[in-house]
Each structure stands twice: as structure tokens, then as C-alpha cells.
Amino acid sequence: MIGHLISLKQLEALIWVADLGSFRKAAQQLNTTQPNISARIAGLEETLGLVLMHRDAGSVRMTDKGSEILAVARRIVGEAETLTEIAGRADLSEGRLRLGVTELVAATWLHQYLRDLKATYPAISVELTVDMSRQLDAALGNHSIDLAIQNSPFVTAASGVIEIGQYPYVWAAEKSLADALAHAKTLKDLMPHTLLTHARHTQSYIELSDQAQALGVPTTSFAPSSSLTSCMQMAADGLGVALLPRIMAERGAGADRLTLLDGLWLPSALRFSARYDRDTAPRYVAQAAAIAAATAQAFGHDPTPKG
């Protein structure tokens, strides 16, 4: 038996250094120090009598034998995590989840999700990033985050994907302005007012611009923003008509001061997924993705994509 020669901590260190390309980042991920990670790798190399990686300036490069050992290390650590699942002891899982979510999630069901996650994995700490979906896409691609809860389209492929569902849009305004627009039928009827929208590169803004062009109306009244929460607050303050995900307009902060406008053109619904790297992520990341889908469904949206 070699259990006294090779430890799971050594194998975890090897995996994270390889995935993150940095001893410092691996130490942060495992909640330890860089010298500790270096000692674990050095100990593993000494035991095996192999050089597992080359430390170049600012990067780490696996040797051929190191890559073979890494593949086996992934299987061993994965099987160890399976033991805790079989025993129903998710509370034994330790580590850090680098979680990325969009503003919609942060403004609606994020807090409940974090509570649900903590109930299942009390020893897993969460490092949270709230950003636009395309930034989360890039972060997932370069291993800066472990799990992205984001809307399509995606540029970076992910081997682990759990569909969360769709979030349709709605037009919303402060009550007196909404009353004045009660008979609005087309986008033209909204044009005398500032239209508060998401950022220019987003699918909703692109579709809105295309619709305006099709109607032959100018886009000078469009006021795009990287913050949907700001759009919502400005609309609640009577500063314009906001194009918002319905779940935010109905249940986000300030929703009680908004009135929804029906019967108007709307862009395609946002389609959300929980995405991660199934081949490299710890098993608790896949479970965290599944918990996110369950929390979102329980929060009260339509979990089935349509169209």
C-alpha cells in the first residue's frame, strides 16, 4: 500500500497547479500558501522519482510523464469525492467555488441559491463574480471561474452544461408614464421617451435596433447601459421606459414602483445555463450547477426553453 507515501492533498495540488498554470492561484483555490503547494508537488515528485512539471517564468508546463500522472490523479480524486457522495456526506467536501453570475441572477435568486448551496456544502467557500455574460464566458475559458450561470450566446465551449431556462423581456415604466402609454401599440409609440436598455453588444439591444430600423424610426432615444439594475431604477424614477427581463421587473428591487406595458414588441427571451468544465472541475461544481437549476425553478420562472 502506498497511502502513506502519496496523499490526496498532493494530488489536488497537482491538479490545480496544472489547471490554473500557477502555484499562487492553486494555493488560493485550496485555501493554503504557495510554499505549501510547492512542498506538496516537490514531495510527490520525490516519491515518484519524476519531474512532473517545468516551472517557467510566470507559467507551468507539464512533462509527458506529468500529464500521465495528472490524468490518474483526476480519477483518484474524483473517486474519493464519490465516496462522500455514496455516504451522503457532502458536508465533508472542502474547497472554494469560484462562481460567476450575471446581474439578473444577482438581482433575483442569487441569495436563495447561496443559502441552498451552503446547506448542501457547508465547508465550500464561494468567491463571487457578478459580470456581463460575455465576460463570464471569457473567465470560464481561462479557468478564472469554476461555474458560470449566464445567458447565451456563448463563445467558449463548456463540457458541462445544465439548462436553467428562459427569461422573457417586458417593457416597464413608472406608473404615471405607464398610464400615458396605456394605448401604445408599437415601438414608435415609445420613441418620444428615453428607452432604457441593456448594453449595445447584447442580443436584446441588437434586436431592438433591428426592429427600429425595420420601422424606420431613429435610435437616438435609446439609452444603453451595462447595468440592468440602473435601467430599472431610472425607470422607477420616471426617467424613461425600460426593457427588462420580466423576472427583474416583477421581483427585483424597485419592482413595486414599476408598471408593466403589455402588447408591445419584445426581443427574444434570455436563455440561461449553468456551465463548467466537466473534465477538470471538482465534482461539487457539477452539483452546484444542479442546485442552481433547482433554485431558479423554485424561484418561479419557466424552466423550459421554448421556440
Side-chain angles (χ1 to χ4, degrees):
M1 301 293 287
I2 62 171
H4 65 292
L5 298 176
I6 298 175
S7 71
L8 285 176
K9 288 185 179 295
Q10 289 176 321
L11 299 182
E12 287 177 331
L14 177 68
I15 291 168
W16 283 110
V17 170
D19 288 348
L20 300 179
S22 165
F23 281 68
R24 177 182 58 81
K25 292 179 180 178
Q28 291 174 345
Q29 178 65 30
L30 293 173
N31 293 319
T32 187
T33 64
Q34 184 171 331
N36 197 354
I37 293 296
S38 297
R40 293 181 193 180
I41 298 297
L44 183 60
E45 290 181 322
E46 181 178 358
T47 297
L48 297 175
L50 294 171
V51 175
L52 301 177
M53 58 184 66
H54 296 300
R55 289 84 158 166
D56 299 326
S59 66
V60 173
R61 179 167 47 88
M62 302 298 295
T63 64
D64 290 341
K65 282 293 184 180
S67 295
E68 291 183 44
I69 297 296
L70 176 63
V72 176
R74 291 192 195 281
R75 292 199 296 270
I76 293 172
V77 171
E79 290 302 319
E81 291 177 329
T82 301
L83 293 177
T84 63
E85 292 179 2
I86 293 173
R89 293 298 307 274
D91 59 296
L92 295 178
S93 295
E94 296 181 348
R96 182 179 60 155
L97 175 66
R98 297 172 302 166
L99 172 66
V101 304
T102 67
E103 187 180 16
L104 181 149
V105 177
T108 52
W109 50 270
L110 174 63
H111 290 176
Q112 182 58 53
Y113 171 53
L114 294 177
R115 287 192 289 268
D116 293 344
L117 191 62
K118 192 70 172 179
T120 302
Y121 292 106
I124 297 294
S125 62
V126 175
E127 179 181 307
L128 179 65
T129 298
V130 180
D131 210 333
M132 300 192 72
S133 186
R134 70 172 181 173
Q135 301 300 329
L136 298 179
D137 197 290
L140 189 66
N142 64 29
H143 299 290
S144 296
I145 59 176
D146 305 309
L147 174 62
I149 303 176
Q150 59 182 139
N151 58 277
S152 61
F154 309 120
V155 175
T156 301
S159 54
V161 178
I162 295 181
E163 299 294 337
I164 287 181
Q166 69 172 10
Y167 292 96
Y169 279 94
V170 69
W171 290 99
E174 181 272 331
K175 186 179 185 307
S176 61
L177 179 54
D179 289 344
L181 293 171
H183 300 293
K185 299 298 182 184
T186 72
L187 189 59
K188 285 184 178 180
D189 298 324
L190 301 181
M191 297 309 289
H193 306 280
T194 299
L195 302 190
L196 306 163
T197 77
H198 214 181
R200 291 181 183 275
H201 68 268
T202 59
Q203 189 63 34
S204 61
Y205 183 90
I206 293 171
E207 291 184 22
L208 177 61
S209 297
D210 290 344
Q211 177 69 7
Q213 183 177 3
L215 294 174
V217 297
T219 61
T220 52
S221 64
F222 290 7
S225 170
S226 60
S227 171
L228 283 172
T229 300
S230 294
C231 291
M232 185 169 175
Q233 292 298 328
M234 287 189 286
D237 290 338
L239 299 178
V241 185
L243 180 61
L244 300 167
R246 177 178 284 270
I247 193 171
M248 285 186 67
E250 291 181 337
R251 305 183 67 175
D256 57 328
R257 295 190 290 146
L258 290 175
T259 298
L260 308 188
L261 305 176
D262 296 320
L264 294 166
W265 171 90
L266 294 168
S268 303
L270 290 167
R271 294 175 180 268
F272 267 72
S273 302
R275 306 172 71 241
Y276 60 98
D277 189 335
R278 185 177 55 216
D279 301 322
T280 64
R283 292 174 69 92
Y284 64 74
V285 175
Q287 292 301 313
I291 293 170
T295 301
Q297 183 172 352
F299 193 81
H301 80 293
D302 177 4
T304 307
K306 299 179 178 63

